[in-house]
Amino acid sequence: MKFSVVIPIFNGEKFVKACLDSLANQDFDLNEFEVLVVNDCSTDNSAAIAHGFSLRFTNFHLINLTKRGGPGTARNKGMIVATGDWILFLDSDDLLTIHCLSTLARVINESPSLQVIGFNWERISEPGEFQSSPRVGRRDGEMLGDRDYTVQQYLSHRMDGSVIFNAVQRKLVDTHAIRFRGGIHEDVDFAFKLYFHAIELTFWNQALYKKRTHARSIINSVSDAHVNGYFNAWRSIKNYVLENEVDAGKQYRQLQAYTYGSFGVVATRVREIFRHCKSDLEIFSLLNLVYANAKKLEDSTNFLKTFPEIRTTTYARITKLFMNQMESGKSASEITQDLKASVDEIEAKSWSCVDLHHSVFFTPDEVRTCCKRFFVNGERKGDVNLMDIPDDTGLAISPKDILTAKQSLHQKINSGVPSDCDGCPFLEFKDWGPLNSLEIHYMSLEYHSVCNLRCTYCSEEYFGGRKP
């Protein structure tokens, strides 16, 4: 087994050196991976630094492009010359952890039929570092597994579209001629095509990638090209579904999911504009561009008609508010100010409860997030389970496991994924703060004494079925 690591470089020599150092120090045989640095017409010393690594290490190679084409073009060139069985895409201002390749090799050896491996990431923390979001790591890991489910979730705009957090079997991209588009946000539709064709996918919940966030990053800036690039990627995805899904039933469900996901496309563009732009004139100009793209999207999907069904999600609320404001007839400054205040208010809120954020309930064989019970259409629900504990108690449950399970449930509730909390009257839409750490205010240890009553709101395990 051999890995090919494809790295587009433009400028940023300090970051390029750190990136290549992370590969030179991998705890993995140098003969078992190659580093393909594609120089996209850089104007500083980045290419010279990469050339130096190619002189020191026989598995490092520098490829010079004659015309600047952007990261997608550079990645395509790297894939063409790659000889590895597996490909990783690394941005030149980021790092791979020292154990990245050895960990992936172990995962592949244990499951040789895998075609895509998603993995987690962590932030590179430096003093004064620019941070666009308090969130760290992937929250879509459990969506990687069953191919049809993964495709549905991606089309619903619930998954991370960054290709850098995946290892990809080269045979998969070659067999289906999967390549990057030109322009910006080129990996959004590329990642979809990977998931669309991969039969075996998995997620490795360990940070193998170190992401640097700074003000000049593509993901931390917004322009006309960013807005158009994202909508172009979304349109490309729909065309791909229409051209490649041969099962009529699956195609219908995929297009339904796509319609639902269109709320996320519009809302995230609006959110990014307010996050990264300061000038009201620039903001309103970009909002107009989003609106023009959203109108075309509405013409082809009628996604706004589905709003009553999913109005509880943050993306749906922001999109509906945005469309109403843009059609309100207000002045540019009024729209910008009103919309920013409303988006900030919505963004700060989420659906949660005091137990999901701050409680944990231990039973003999489960870790639960609450002990509340409620009825939905006559069916008793509640006592929501976060994870099972095996009978042999050989599994150690860590605080990180509990936090990850809580984050997953919180994500489901707020993105419209069906969950055991659906219909719960104890959920509130308010500013709960980010769920980035385990802050437990209430803990319950249940020993299950047997009760001789059979209250309608209770659970069978409390009467007659289990010893204390």
Side-chain angles (χ1 to χ4, degrees):
M1 180 204 316
K2 182 179 179 181
F3 292 100
S4 296
V5 183
V6 177
I7 310 171
I9 64 169
F10 176 55
N11 286 339
E13 55 197 64
K14 181 180 74 171
F15 295 147
V16 169
K17 184 179 184 307
C19 174
L20 298 181
D21 276 334
S22 77
L23 291 162
N25 293 313
Q26 287 287 307
D27 64 343
F28 200 64
D29 189 337
L30 290 177
N31 296 317
E32 298 301 322
F33 73 99
E34 63 182 1
V35 179
L36 304 171
V37 182
V38 186
N39 175 30
D40 193 20
C41 299
S42 58
T43 57
D44 62 4
N45 289 324
S46 295
I49 291 171
H51 179 64
F53 274 84
S54 70
L55 296 177
R56 289 168 54 198
F57 304 99
T58 58
N59 62 327
F60 278 64
H61 308 284
L62 176 62
I63 304 164
N64 290 301
L65 298 183
T66 57
K67 181 180 179 182
R68 178 147 169 73
T73 300
R75 287 170 175 164
N76 286 338
K77 181 63 175 179
M79 283 194 293
I80 290 172
V81 301
T83 61
D85 305 296
W86 284 78
I87 299 176
L88 285 87
F89 300 100
L90 175 61
D91 286 346
S92 61
D93 45 3
D94 299 336
L95 314 173
L96 294 184
T97 65
I98 191 172
H99 306 298
C100 177
L101 298 182
S102 59
T103 300
L104 289 172
R106 187 170 67 253
V107 174
I108 295 167
N109 285 331
E110 292 175 356
S111 303
S113 60
L114 284 172
Q115 295 170 295
V116 175
I117 304 170
F119 44 79
N120 224 325
W121 64 275
E122 61 190 12
R123 181 176 285 131
I124 301 173
S125 297
E126 294 178 351
E129 178 187 280
F130 177 89
Q131 293 189 8
S132 62
S133 171
R135 294 183 59 171
V136 178
R138 293 187 70 163
R139 301 289 174 86
D140 61 349
E142 66 179 33
M143 298 177 185
L144 281 171
D146 177 79
R147 177 263 181 190
D148 290 340
Y149 179 71
T150 298
V151 168
Q152 288 288 112
Q153 297 308 312
Y154 199 95
L155 290 169
S156 298
H157 206 267
R158 293 173 177 145
M159 296 186 65
D160 193 322
S162 304
V163 74
I164 53 179
F165 306 133
N166 296 279
V168 183
Q169 187 187 60
R170 183 165 65 93
K171 182 179 179 181
L172 177 71
V173 296
D174 288 345
T175 299
H176 299 286
I178 303 174
R179 294 293 184 263
F180 290 92
R181 280 183 307 107
I184 299 177
H185 292 301
E186 74 293 338
D187 55 347
V188 172
D189 45 327
F190 182 90
F192 171 76
K193 294 171 186 177
L194 296 180
Y195 299 148
F196 184 88
H197 289 292
I199 305 300
E200 296 287 337
L201 310 94
T202 194
F203 177 69
W204 187 255
N205 193 19
Q206 177 183 346
L208 302 180
Y209 194 103
K210 293 186 176 184
K211 183 70 182 166
R212 194 187 306 274
T213 55
H214 50 83
R216 67 181 185 84
S217 297
I218 289 178
I219 62 170
N220 291 326
S221 54
V222 184
S223 66
D224 288 8
H226 287 82
V227 171
N228 287 327
Y230 205 92
F231 278 97
N232 287 340
W234 195 243
R235 284 188 282 268
S236 171
I237 287 173
K238 181 180 180 181
N239 291 335
Y240 204 79
V241 168
L242 291 173
E243 294 168 4
N244 290 274
E245 181 54 73
V246 295
D247 185 305
K250 285 184 180 180
Q251 186 184 85
Y252 174 76
R253 291 188 293 273
Q254 288 167 3
L255 292 176
Q256 280 188 311
Y258 180 91
T259 298
Y260 179 100
S262 297
F263 283 101
V265 173
V266 177
T268 53
R269 296 314 93 204
V270 173
R271 180 190 65 192
E272 295 306 295
I273 289 170
F274 283 117
R275 277 185 181 176
H276 304 302
C277 299
K278 303 300 181 185
S279 160
D280 284 353
L281 184 63
E282 180 187 16
I283 289 173
F284 189 69
S285 174
L286 289 168
L287 290 177
N288 265 318
L289 186 59
V290 172
Y291 178 70
N293 276 286
K295 288 295 290 182
K296 294 178 183 177
L297 191 56
E298 168 64 6
D299 290 342
S300 66
T301 63
N302 291 320
F303 71 92
L304 290 174
K305 290 185 178 179
T306 66
F307 175 75
E309 302 171 19
I310 60 169
R311 62 185 178 275
T312 57
T313 70
T314 299
Y315 287 165
R317 286 169 180 257
I318 290 176
T319 298
K320 189 67 174 179
L321 173 70
F322 166 71
M323 299 299 284
N324 287 340
Q325 284 285 341
M326 296 302 289
E327 296 169 356
S328 65
K330 296 179 183 178
S331 68
S333 60
E334 287 177 317
I335 291 175
T336 300
Q337 296 304 316
D338 291 350
L339 192 57
K340 184 180 188 312
S342 299
V343 169
D344 286 345
E345 181 182 359
I346 294 173
E347 279 271 276
K349 295 180 179 181
S350 67
W351 286 100
S352 190
C353 70
V354 67
D355 285 331
L356 178 54
H357 257 68
H358 299 300
S359 301
V360 64
F361 295 78
F362 294 104
T363 78
D365 58 1
E366 292 178 347
V367 179
R368 294 177 178 171
T369 197
C370 72
C371 66
K372 301 290 195 300
R373 300 193 185 96
F374 56 95
F375 287 83
V376 177
N377 298 324
E379 178 184 355
R380 187 187 66 232
K381 301 185 68 175
D383 285 331
V384 175
N385 179 25
L386 287 174
M387 65 184 74
D388 295 323
I389 303 174
D391 291 336
D392 59 14
T393 65
L395 177 65
I397 301 297
S398 72
K400 183 178 180 181
D401 295 329
I402 296 172
L403 174 62
T404 300
K406 282 179 172 287
Q407 289 172 335
S408 174
L409 180 58
H410 187 245
Q411 176 84 351
K412 285 181 178 179
I413 294 168
N414 285 280
S415 61
V417 178
S419 77
D420 292 334
C421 294
D422 291 351
C424 178
F426 302 102
L427 289 173
E428 298 179 78
F429 189 70
K430 68 178 189 179
D431 185 0
W432 292 97
L435 192 53
N436 283 338
S437 60
L438 197 64
E439 298 179 7
I440 299 302
H441 300 169
Y442 182 88
M443 181 185 296
S444 169
L445 304 174
E446 302 180 15
Y447 61 87
H448 291 290
S449 57
V450 177
C451 176
N452 63 355
L453 299 179
R454 291 174 177 265
C455 301
T456 58
Y457 56 82
C458 197
S459 170
E460 289 83 353
E461 64 188 85
Y462 290 97
F463 51 80
R466 171 173 290 178
K467 294 180 180 180

mmCIF file of all heavy atoms in Angstrom, residues 71-109:
data_model
loop_
_atom_site.group_PDB
_atom_site.id
_atom_site.type_symbol
_atom_site.label_atom_id
_atom_site.label_comp_id
_atom_site.label_asym_id
_atom_site.label_seq_id
_atom_site.Cartn_x
_atom_site.Cartn_y
_atom_site.Cartn_z
ATOM 1 N N PRO A 71 -6.499 25.990 -6.805
ATOM 2 C CA PRO A 71 -6.258 24.718 -6.122
ATOM 3 C C PRO A 71 -6.833 23.506 -6.843
ATOM 4 O O PRO A 71 -6.239 22.430 -6.818
ATOM 5 C CB PRO A 71 -6.912 24.912 -4.746
ATOM 6 C CG PRO A 71 -7.802 26.097 -4.893
ATOM 7 C CD PRO A 71 -7.212 26.953 -5.946
ATOM 8 N N GLY A 72 -7.976 23.666 -7.515
ATOM 9 C CA GLY A 72 -8.559 22.526 -8.210
ATOM 10 C C GLY A 72 -7.692 22.041 -9.354
ATOM 11 O O GLY A 72 -7.449 20.835 -9.518
ATOM 12 N N THR A 73 -7.195 22.977 -10.145
ATOM 13 C CA THR A 73 -6.314 22.623 -11.261
ATOM 14 C C THR A 73 -5.047 21.950 -10.750
ATOM 15 O O THR A 73 -4.579 20.949 -11.315
ATOM 16 C CB THR A 73 -5.952 23.883 -12.065
ATOM 17 O OG1 THR A 73 -7.161 24.471 -12.579
ATOM 18 C CG2 THR A 73 -5.031 23.554 -13.218
ATOM 19 N N ALA A 74 -4.477 22.504 -9.672
ATOM 20 C CA ALA A 74 -3.251 21.941 -9.110
ATOM 21 C C ALA A 74 -3.500 20.530 -8.569
ATOM 22 O O ALA A 74 -2.677 19.618 -8.763
ATOM 23 C CB ALA A 74 -2.728 22.847 -8.004
ATOM 24 N N ARG A 75 -4.607 20.331 -7.918
ATOM 25 C CA ARG A 75 -4.920 18.992 -7.383
ATOM 26 C C ARG A 75 -5.122 17.994 -8.517
ATOM 27 O O ARG A 75 -4.711 16.835 -8.417
ATOM 28 C CB ARG A 75 -6.163 19.060 -6.497
ATOM 29 C CG ARG A 75 -5.921 19.726 -5.147
ATOM 30 C CD ARG A 75 -7.230 19.976 -4.441
ATOM 31 N NE ARG A 75 -7.047 20.505 -3.092
ATOM 32 C CZ ARG A 75 -8.009 21.090 -2.393
ATOM 33 N NH1 ARG A 75 -9.227 21.233 -2.926
ATOM 34 N NH2 ARG A 75 -7.769 21.535 -1.179
ATOM 35 N N ASN A 76 -5.789 18.442 -9.575
ATOM 36 C CA ASN A 76 -5.978 17.546 -10.726
ATOM 37 C C ASN A 76 -4.642 17.097 -11.297
ATOM 38 O O ASN A 76 -4.456 15.925 -11.645
ATOM 39 C CB ASN A 76 -6.798 18.247 -11.812
ATOM 40 C CG ASN A 76 -8.272 18.371 -11.459
ATOM 41 O OD1 ASN A 76 -8.779 17.617 -10.623
ATOM 42 N ND2 ASN A 76 -8.948 19.311 -12.075
ATOM 43 N N LYS A 77 -3.698 18.034 -11.405
ATOM 44 C CA LYS A 77 -2.372 17.686 -11.915
ATOM 45 C C LYS A 77 -1.704 16.677 -10.994
ATOM 46 O O LYS A 77 -1.076 15.704 -11.455
ATOM 47 C CB LYS A 77 -1.519 18.952 -12.023
ATOM 48 C CG LYS A 77 -0.106 18.712 -12.568
ATOM 49 C CD LYS A 77 -0.126 18.174 -13.995
ATOM 50 C CE LYS A 77 1.271 18.054 -14.552
ATOM 51 N NZ LYS A 77 1.279 17.519 -15.941
ATOM 52 N N GLY A 78 -1.840 16.872 -9.700
ATOM 53 C CA GLY A 78 -1.255 15.933 -8.755
ATOM 54 C C GLY A 78 -1.854 14.551 -8.876
ATOM 55 O O GLY A 78 -1.142 13.537 -8.808
ATOM 56 N N MET A 79 -3.176 14.476 -9.079
ATOM 57 C CA MET A 79 -3.823 13.171 -9.220
ATOM 58 C C MET A 79 -3.371 12.447 -10.477
ATOM 59 O O MET A 79 -3.255 11.221 -10.495
ATOM 60 C CB MET A 79 -5.351 13.335 -9.231
ATOM 61 C CG MET A 79 -5.967 13.587 -7.866
ATOM 62 S SD MET A 79 -7.772 13.359 -7.873
ATOM 63 C CE MET A 79 -8.268 14.712 -8.911
ATOM 64 N N ILE A 80 -3.110 13.206 -11.528
ATOM 65 C CA ILE A 80 -2.701 12.590 -12.790
ATOM 66 C C ILE A 80 -1.371 11.859 -12.636
ATOM 67 O O ILE A 80 -1.169 10.765 -13.173
ATOM 68 C CB ILE A 80 -2.607 13.664 -13.896
ATOM 69 C CG1 ILE A 80 -4.012 14.162 -14.264
ATOM 70 C CG2 ILE A 80 -1.910 13.109 -15.134
ATOM 71 C CD1 ILE A 80 -4.009 15.349 -15.204
ATOM 72 N N VAL A 81 -0.450 12.465 -11.900
ATOM 73 C CA VAL A 81 0.889 11.867 -11.780
ATOM 74 C C VAL A 81 1.018 10.973 -10.548
ATOM 75 O O VAL A 81 2.049 10.323 -10.368
ATOM 76 C CB VAL A 81 1.977 12.963 -11.748
ATOM 77 C CG1 VAL A 81 1.921 13.806 -12.999
ATOM 78 C CG2 VAL A 81 1.833 13.832 -10.497
ATOM 79 N N ALA A 82 0.004 10.921 -9.703
ATOM 80 C CA ALA A 82 0.078 10.123 -8.475
ATOM 81 C C ALA A 82 0.241 8.641 -8.799
ATOM 82 O O ALA A 82 -0.378 8.117 -9.742
ATOM 83 C CB ALA A 82 -1.178 10.339 -7.631
ATOM 84 N N THR A 83 1.058 7.969 -8.014
ATOM 85 C CA THR A 83 1.267 6.524 -8.185
ATOM 86 C C THR A 83 0.790 5.737 -6.975
ATOM 87 O O THR A 83 0.862 4.511 -6.975
ATOM 88 C CB THR A 83 2.758 6.220 -8.422
ATOM 89 O OG1 THR A 83 3.511 6.655 -7.278
ATOM 90 C CG2 THR A 83 3.273 6.927 -9.668
ATOM 91 N N GLY A 84 0.329 6.427 -5.935
ATOM 92 C CA GLY A 84 -0.101 5.746 -4.720
ATOM 93 C C GLY A 84 -1.434 5.045 -4.884
ATOM 94 O O GLY A 84 -2.211 5.341 -5.800
ATOM 95 N N ASP A 85 -1.707 4.117 -3.972
ATOM 96 C CA ASP A 85 -3.004 3.439 -3.961
ATOM 97 C C ASP A 85 -4.074 4.336 -3.337
ATOM 98 O O ASP A 85 -5.257 4.196 -3.629
ATOM 99 C CB ASP A 85 -2.909 2.137 -3.152
ATOM 100 C CG ASP A 85 -1.812 1.234 -3.669
ATOM 101 O OD1 ASP A 85 -1.920 0.775 -4.813
ATOM 102 O OD2 ASP A 85 -0.827 1.004 -2.927
ATOM 103 N N TRP A 86 -3.621 5.240 -2.461
ATOM 104 C CA TRP A 86 -4.530 6.156 -1.769
ATOM 105 C C TRP A 86 -4.006 7.585 -1.923
ATOM 106 O O TRP A 86 -2.801 7.814 -1.969
ATOM 107 C CB TRP A 86 -4.623 5.802 -0.287
ATOM 108 C CG TRP A 86 -5.478 4.592 -0.040
ATOM 109 C CD1 TRP A 86 -5.122 3.287 -0.227
ATOM 110 C CD2 TRP A 86 -6.822 4.596 0.413
ATOM 111 N NE1 TRP A 86 -6.177 2.465 0.083
ATOM 112 C CE2 TRP A 86 -7.234 3.238 0.481
ATOM 113 C CE3 TRP A 86 -7.736 5.581 0.775
ATOM 114 C CZ2 TRP A 86 -8.517 2.865 0.905
ATOM 115 C CZ3 TRP A 86 -9.007 5.213 1.191
ATOM 116 C CH2 TRP A 86 -9.387 3.872 1.254
ATOM 117 N N ILE A 87 -4.954 8.539 -2.012
ATOM 118 C CA ILE A 87 -4.607 9.954 -2.183
ATOM 119 C C ILE A 87 -5.142 10.750 -1.001
ATOM 120 O O ILE A 87 -6.278 10.556 -0.551
ATOM 121 C CB ILE A 87 -5.187 10.513 -3.490
ATOM 122 C CG1 ILE A 87 -4.618 9.766 -4.696
ATOM 123 C CG2 ILE A 87 -4.905 12.008 -3.621
ATOM 124 C CD1 ILE A 87 -5.227 10.207 -6.026
ATOM 125 N N LEU A 88 -4.301 11.660 -0.496
ATOM 126 C CA LEU A 88 -4.723 12.656 0.483
ATOM 127 C C LEU A 88 -4.471 14.033 -0.101
ATOM 128 O O LEU A 88 -3.484 14.240 -0.818
ATOM 129 C CB LEU A 88 -3.953 12.529 1.798
ATOM 130 C CG LEU A 88 -4.318 11.369 2.722
ATOM 131 C CD1 LEU A 88 -3.515 10.128 2.348
ATOM 132 C CD2 LEU A 88 -4.048 11.736 4.177
ATOM 133 N N PHE A 89 -5.375 14.973 0.198
ATOM 134 C CA PHE A 89 -5.232 16.345 -0.261
ATOM 135 C C PHE A 89 -4.921 17.223 0.949
ATOM 136 O O PHE A 89 -5.720 17.301 1.894
ATOM 137 C CB PHE A 89 -6.506 16.823 -0.962
ATOM 138 C CG PHE A 89 -6.869 15.992 -2.164
ATOM 139 C CD1 PHE A 89 -7.848 15.010 -2.077
ATOM 140 C CD2 PHE A 89 -6.225 16.184 -3.371
ATOM 141 C CE1 PHE A 89 -8.185 14.234 -3.172
ATOM 142 C CE2 PHE A 89 -6.557 15.404 -4.487
ATOM 143 C CZ PHE A 89 -7.536 14.432 -4.385
ATOM 144 N N LEU A 90 -3.770 17.856 0.926
ATOM 145 C CA LEU A 90 -3.317 18.669 2.044
ATOM 146 C C LEU A 90 -3.133 20.108 1.593
ATOM 147 O O LEU A 90 -2.480 20.362 0.575
ATOM 148 C CB LEU A 90 -1.989 18.099 2.585
ATOM 149 C CG LEU A 90 -1.268 18.862 3.693
ATOM 150 C CD1 LEU A 90 -2.128 18.959 4.946
ATOM 151 C CD2 LEU A 90 0.060 18.176 4.006
ATOM 152 N N ASP A 91 -3.732 21.056 2.319
ATOM 153 C CA ASP A 91 -3.511 22.469 2.011
ATOM 154 C C ASP A 91 -2.145 22.885 2.538
ATOM 155 O O ASP A 91 -1.708 22.435 3.603
ATOM 156 C CB ASP A 91 -4.607 23.334 2.643
ATOM 157 C CG ASP A 91 -5.930 23.215 1.901
ATOM 158 O OD1 ASP A 91 -5.935 22.687 0.774
ATOM 159 O OD2 ASP A 91 -6.956 23.658 2.450
ATOM 160 N N SER A 92 -1.491 23.778 1.834
ATOM 161 C CA SER A 92 -0.090 24.091 2.142
ATOM 162 C C SER A 92 0.087 24.879 3.435
ATOM 163 O O SER A 92 1.211 25.027 3.912
ATOM 164 C CB SER A 92 0.537 24.874 0.989
ATOM 165 O OG SER A 92 -0.137 26.101 0.787
ATOM 166 N N ASP A 93 -0.985 25.411 4.002
ATOM 167 C CA ASP A 93 -0.853 26.099 5.289
ATOM 168 C C ASP A 93 -1.302 25.217 6.458
ATOM 169 O O ASP A 93 -1.411 25.685 7.591
ATOM 170 C CB ASP A 93 -1.629 27.423 5.293
ATOM 171 C CG ASP A 93 -3.023 27.305 4.706
ATOM 172 O OD1 ASP A 93 -3.419 26.184 4.351
ATOM 173 O OD2 ASP A 93 -3.712 28.329 4.604
ATOM 174 N N ASP A 94 -1.548 23.939 6.195
ATOM 175 C CA ASP A 94 -1.967 23.002 7.230
ATOM 176 C C ASP A 94 -0.910 21.921 7.447
ATOM 177 O O ASP A 94 0.114 21.884 6.762
ATOM 178 C CB ASP A 94 -3.310 22.355 6.847
ATOM 179 C CG ASP A 94 -4.420 23.382 6.700
ATOM 180 O OD1 ASP A 94 -4.316 24.461 7.302
ATOM 181 O OD2 ASP A 94 -5.382 23.105 5.965
ATOM 182 N N LEU A 95 -1.191 21.015 8.376
ATOM 183 C CA LEU A 95 -0.251 19.940 8.703
ATOM 184 C C LEU A 95 -0.993 18.619 8.817
ATOM 185 O O LEU A 95 -2.197 18.592 9.090
ATOM 186 C CB LEU A 95 0.443 20.204 10.049
ATOM 187 C CG LEU A 95 1.011 21.594 10.342
ATOM 188 C CD1 LEU A 95 1.490 21.660 11.790
ATOM 189 C CD2 LEU A 95 2.150 21.909 9.388
ATOM 190 N N LEU A 96 -0.278 17.526 8.615
ATOM 191 C CA LEU A 96 -0.764 16.205 9.003
ATOM 192 C C LEU A 96 -0.125 15.836 10.335
ATOM 193 O O LEU A 96 1.042 16.164 10.582
ATOM 194 C CB LEU A 96 -0.409 15.150 7.955
ATOM 195 C CG LEU A 96 -1.059 15.276 6.576
ATOM 196 C CD1 LEU A 96 -0.665 14.088 5.710
ATOM 197 C CD2 LEU A 96 -2.577 15.387 6.662
ATOM 198 N N THR A 97 -0.865 15.165 11.199
ATOM 199 C CA THR A 97 -0.276 14.719 12.452
ATOM 200 C C THR A 97 0.805 13.684 12.143
ATOM 201 O O THR A 97 0.786 13.028 11.090
ATOM 202 C CB THR A 97 -1.322 14.093 13.380
ATOM 203 O OG1 THR A 97 -1.827 12.893 12.771
ATOM 204 C CG2 THR A 97 -2.475 15.058 13.627
ATOM 205 N N ILE A 98 1.726 13.490 13.053
ATOM 206 C CA ILE A 98 2.856 12.599 12.823
ATOM 207 C C ILE A 98 2.415 11.149 12.607
ATOM 208 O O ILE A 98 3.085 10.375 11.934
ATOM 209 C CB ILE A 98 3.852 12.688 14.004
ATOM 210 C CG1 ILE A 98 5.162 11.966 13.665
ATOM 211 C CG2 ILE A 98 3.232 12.176 15.289
ATOM 212 C CD1 ILE A 98 6.252 12.179 14.689
ATOM 213 N N HIS A 99 1.253 10.789 13.160
ATOM 214 C CA HIS A 99 0.758 9.413 13.051
ATOM 215 C C HIS A 99 -0.280 9.246 11.945
ATOM 216 O O HIS A 99 -0.901 8.179 11.845
ATOM 217 C CB HIS A 99 0.145 8.961 14.380
ATOM 218 C CG HIS A 99 1.056 9.106 15.556
ATOM 219 N ND1 HIS A 99 2.255 8.438 15.653
ATOM 220 C CD2 HIS A 99 0.940 9.846 16.687
ATOM 221 C CE1 HIS A 99 2.843 8.753 16.800
ATOM 222 N NE2 HIS A 99 2.076 9.612 17.438
ATOM 223 N N CYS A 100 -0.495 10.264 11.124
ATOM 224 C CA CYS A 100 -1.583 10.234 10.145
ATOM 225 C C CYS A 100 -1.489 9.027 9.214
ATOM 226 O O CYS A 100 -2.419 8.223 9.123
ATOM 227 C CB CYS A 100 -1.599 11.527 9.338
ATOM 228 S SG CYS A 100 -2.849 11.556 8.038
ATOM 229 N N LEU A 101 -0.384 8.890 8.505
ATOM 230 C CA LEU A 101 -0.280 7.844 7.486
ATOM 231 C C LEU A 101 -0.230 6.450 8.103
ATOM 232 O O LEU A 101 -0.833 5.509 7.572
ATOM 233 C CB LEU A 101 0.944 8.090 6.608
ATOM 234 C CG LEU A 101 0.936 9.399 5.808
ATOM 235 C CD1 LEU A 101 2.189 9.504 4.942
ATOM 236 C CD2 LEU A 101 -0.318 9.501 4.946
ATOM 237 N N SER A 102 0.456 6.297 9.224
ATOM 238 C CA SER A 102 0.516 4.976 9.864
ATOM 239 C C SER A 102 -0.854 4.564 10.386
ATOM 240 O O SER A 102 -1.230 3.389 10.321
ATOM 241 C CB SER A 102 1.537 4.971 11.003
ATOM 242 O OG SER A 102 1.207 5.933 11.995
ATOM 243 N N THR A 103 -1.630 5.539 10.873
ATOM 244 C CA THR A 103 -2.986 5.242 11.343
ATOM 245 C C THR A 103 -3.878 4.820 10.185
ATOM 246 O O THR A 103 -4.617 3.831 10.273
ATOM 247 C CB THR A 103 -3.594 6.468 12.052
ATOM 248 O OG1 THR A 103 -2.781 6.822 13.174
ATOM 249 C CG2 THR A 103 -5.012 6.173 12.523
ATOM 250 N N LEU A 104 -3.825 5.564 9.091
ATOM 251 C CA LEU A 104 -4.647 5.222 7.925
ATOM 252 C C LEU A 104 -4.253 3.863 7.357
ATOM 253 O O LEU A 104 -5.129 3.077 6.942
ATOM 254 C CB LEU A 104 -4.497 6.297 6.853
ATOM 255 C CG LEU A 104 -5.141 7.653 7.169
ATOM 256 C CD1 LEU A 104 -4.750 8.683 6.124
ATOM 257 C CD2 LEU A 104 -6.666 7.524 7.248
ATOM 258 N N ALA A 105 -2.960 3.562 7.348
ATOM 259 C CA ALA A 105 -2.516 2.254 6.847
ATOM 260 C C ALA A 105 -3.096 1.126 7.692
ATOM 261 O O ALA A 105 -3.515 0.092 7.159
ATOM 262 C CB ALA A 105 -0.987 2.196 6.862
ATOM 263 N N ARG A 106 -3.139 1.335 8.994
ATOM 264 C CA ARG A 106 -3.710 0.313 9.880
ATOM 265 C C ARG A 106 -5.207 0.130 9.614
ATOM 266 O O ARG A 106 -5.707 -1.001 9.567
ATOM 267 C CB ARG A 106 -3.476 0.719 11.343
ATOM 268 C CG ARG A 106 -3.884 -0.354 12.340
ATOM 269 C CD ARG A 106 -3.423 -0.037 13.747
ATOM 270 N NE ARG A 106 -4.101 1.132 14.298
ATOM 271 C CZ ARG A 106 -3.558 2.315 14.483
ATOM 272 N NH1 ARG A 106 -2.289 2.522 14.129
ATOM 273 N NH2 ARG A 106 -4.245 3.311 14.997
ATOM 274 N N VAL A 107 -5.920 1.241 9.423
ATOM 275 C CA VAL A 107 -7.361 1.164 9.143
ATOM 276 C C VAL A 107 -7.607 0.420 7.831
ATOM 277 O O VAL A 107 -8.491 -0.442 7.739
ATOM 278 C CB VAL A 107 -7.967 2.587 9.072
ATOM 279 C CG1 VAL A 107 -9.431 2.515 8.639
ATOM 280 C CG2 VAL A 107 -7.865 3.280 10.432
ATOM 281 N N ILE A 108 -6.822 0.716 6.809
ATOM 282 C CA ILE A 108 -6.987 0.081 5.495
ATOM 283 C C ILE A 108 -6.644 -1.401 5.561
ATOM 284 O O ILE A 108 -7.334 -2.240 4.960
ATOM 285 C CB ILE A 108 -6.126 0.806 4.443
ATOM 286 C CG1 ILE A 108 -6.630 2.239 4.253
ATOM 287 C CG2 ILE A 108 -6.147 0.054 3.115
ATOM 288 C CD1 ILE A 108 -5.676 3.128 3.487
ATOM 289 N N ASN A 109 -5.594 -1.735 6.282
ATOM 290 C CA ASN A 109 -5.215 -3.150 6.410
ATOM 291 C C ASN A 109 -6.300 -3.963 7.093
ATOM 292 O O ASN A 109 -6.512 -5.132 6.772
ATOM 293 C CB ASN A 109 -3.900 -3.272 7.186
ATOM 294 C CG ASN A 109 -2.697 -2.880 6.341
ATOM 295 O OD1 ASN A 109 -2.712 -3.029 5.126
ATOM 296 N ND2 ASN A 109 -1.658 -2.371 6.979
#
